[in-house]
Amino acid sequence: MAAAINETAYRESMNLGHSAAWDQDWDAAAKHYFKAVEASPNSFQALSSVGLALFNMQTYDQALKFYKRAATVSPNDPLPIEKTAEIYERTGKIEEAIKQSMQAAELYLNLRDPDKAIQNWTRVTSLKPEHLPAHSRLAMVYEKMGNNNRSITEYLAVASLLQQKVKLKEALQTVQHAVKIDPESKEAKEALKALESNRTLPLPLRQPGGTDALRMAAVREMDQLPAGSNGAAKEGPDPITEARQKALTVLAGLLFETGDEKDTANGNLGGGLGSGVTGSLATNNQEAAKMMKHLGRAVDLQTRGERDQAIEQLKRAIDAGLEHPAAHFNIGMLMHMAGREKNAQRYLGVAVSHLDFGLAARLLVGEYQRKLGNLKEAAEEYLEGLKIADASLVAEESADELRQLYEPLIEAHSQEEDEAKLEKLCDNVEELLLRPNWRRHLMDAREQMPGASGSLTPMPLAEMISQANSGEVVEALARINNLARDGYLRTAMEEAFTVLDLAPTYLPLHISMGDLLMRQDRLPEAIDKFTMVANAYSARGEANRSTDLFRRIVEVSPMDLAARTRLIDQLVSRGQVDEALTEYLNLADVYYRLAELDMARATYETSLRMAQDSRMSDQWKVQIMHHMADIDVQRLDWRQALVVYEQLRTLAPEDELARTSLIELNVRLGNDGKALSELDNYTSYLVSNAREAHAVTYMAKLVEENPNYVFARGRLAEQYQQAGQVDKAVEQWDQVGEMLLEAGDVEGAKSAVRSIVALNPATVDKYQKLLQQLG
């Protein structure tokens, strides 16, 4: 019984995964495939499918694990070996990629698939042009396939490599064999003359496709243990070096997604780059190619240590349209290192809100402010950086509360006038963070804090390195929470106003006051308080907190259009397109319930443009367009609704509601011929997809719901007639005839009766007499 349950779960999960993969929703696909693996851990198909989903999500380390498991389950299948090679190639592990490609090629050859084998050997020669075995295998396979030109090219490459290894006899034999394949080959004859004259043959050139992998390999080698480091780098880099490596890896990966240099130069950027660059692709292919050219140069220059030239190329890439946090952090860090700290601030300001680069960007900005003598600003940046680092080390459920506890500390230091204290704070943060293995050091420091092992809410590390009245604020908040928990809401509010004197800009305190107002049923005041705090968080670049508060406002006040609009703006700015679209639909629904149909439709149009620009799944577009068409119908703008449904028919030909609506709208507009054409179009689509039975069922339902659709009855009668269901066909033709007679279409009625006579039913005499009466 358990096996049957697992089989059911496996099939269901695989089907859901395939559906999500078809929609390019790789995150959802991975989740379903994971469940399929849980149901059947040794399923080759499930393991390979998880690998594919993770590969498309660019989580290569995880994808590699599943492809290796798939290869273990089915060692003679070349697919997981080939995908493993692709992963190694994309992560710059050249030798591993070569080894796996050679293995995959042999497996494909065993399966009598020489084309796929050639692809893998070609990958090897693009990564390592001097790889003799790959050229040898290509030469022999091309020869067996009768592709003499390519075979000779590969044999000459083999000969040049043998000559380089001073294996002159073997090189001569190889060229003689090439001449034997085609005695008229100019290249082969020239190579033979060169060998006989002791001249050097040209070595094989690198083919397109290998440059990106080499660039990624160079990036990976940049932060290897440097000479004279005494092993410190083995502990892990400092935050700035770590962020630099992450940024370079991301940027090199973007280049990988665009394909080789030739494709880029031709403006052929493929589809992968859009997933890595939020809003960065220029609409003009030439501009996009120019952007990628400068980016490629910037990465190459950095791997060679040419910082100033790299800055210039990266700036040109950004000016050409590259808007990625990795690019902004990278150029900001390079400018900072080059002594151009003032220019760097513009770029680092973009990177501070990004998860991967926020810590390093804060530290660099703080260092610059300290250099200028702006100690308050420097202390604030250092504490913001420490907050990011500290929160990254605690459990996820505690991280948000820990970040809030930093607020009074940051506020207190913004009021500090003692420069010695501010200097000491900056020194302490630098000592904590600007060092190798900084995470281990922070965890050690946290373990030394009082109550670290038993406290439910971790205390900020900043408490240990600074002295300020922030501790009073933390204690006061605890009192407020205790009073509110015991039901003393008024007293808790009075205590909150008292604390405002200590930290007037401490935003979590204002949130607590908003909570108290909510519990006192003072909803408008609470919404005003939450809105003020949300705007403040947004101004400070803390988009997560701002978004959370706007969500809270729309939950308690769904008709608050201003709050919902701000929430959408926040989600869009953070690239959370799915959630932004959901809120757009909610906003449109609010307008709809307010009977503001024009505003509702305009909102749907905006969301549709976003879904199209962001390359979201067609499901979003279909849902939005149905809402738009529904509003058009309610406004009696049938022609506009018809346009939308026609677009839906193209986008989702299987959408039965759209198909039916097209038929009904054409009837309303008096265009029965077009309605019939739409019906024929849909039934043909169903038949072409092996759904003949559903085509008949659909027409029967359409006639049942719209008994006056004569054209539909006629088509239904024809379907019954073709299926040999004489009685049902006669019944429909009989009704068609009666309806046409009532409409004065005698010729049409006669045609319907003739169709009945042709079926030769038991009552054929009656219909023959009727035909005579009709003349």
Side-chain angles (χ1 to χ4, degrees), residues 71-72 74-82 84-85 96-110 117 120-121 123-124 131:
T72 302
S74 183
N76 294 322
D77 194 309
L79 175 64
I81 307 298
E82 182 179 38
T84 298
E96 292 92 332
I98 289 172
K99 180 181 177 181
Q100 296 298 312
S101 293
M102 291 295 291
Q103 184 179 346
E106 295 300 331
L107 289 172
Y108 275 121
L109 201 62
N110 292 340
N120 281 275
W121 284 318
R123 178 187 295 115
V124 174
H131 197 280

Side-chain angles (χ1 to χ4, degrees), residues 61-74:
D61 288 344
Q62 293 186 54
L64 188 63
K65 293 177 182 177
F66 281 93
Y67 277 127
K68 285 183 175 180
R69 285 178 60 184
T72 302
V73 170
S74 183

Side-chain angles (χ1 to χ4, degrees), residues 123 245 325 354 584 596 600 698 737 768:
R123 178 187 295 115
Q245 180 71 1
H354 193 276
Y584 264 126
E596 296 186 25
Y698 172 76
Q768 288 175 337

Side-chain angles (χ1 to χ4, degrees), residues 227-302:
S229 64
N230 297 322
K234 291 182 180 179
E235 301 176 350
D238 62 82
I240 295 173
T241 303
E242 184 179 296
R244 178 190 68 178
Q245 180 71 1
K246 175 67 176 179
L248 268 178
T249 301
V250 169
L251 295 177
L254 297 184
L255 290 164
F256 220 118
E257 290 297 313
T258 67
D260 58 42
E261 288 86 343
K262 180 179 179 182
D263 288 337
T264 303
N266 292 333
N268 179 18
L269 295 179
L273 181 62
S275 62
V277 184
T278 304
S280 67
L281 276 181
T283 54
N284 184 294
N285 275 347
Q286 281 188 324
E287 286 298 313
K290 177 181 176 183
M291 174 182 73
M292 301 315 297
K293 178 183 70 174
H294 291 305
L295 177 58
R297 289 176 179 173
V299 174
D300 290 338
L301 287 164
Q302 286 186 74

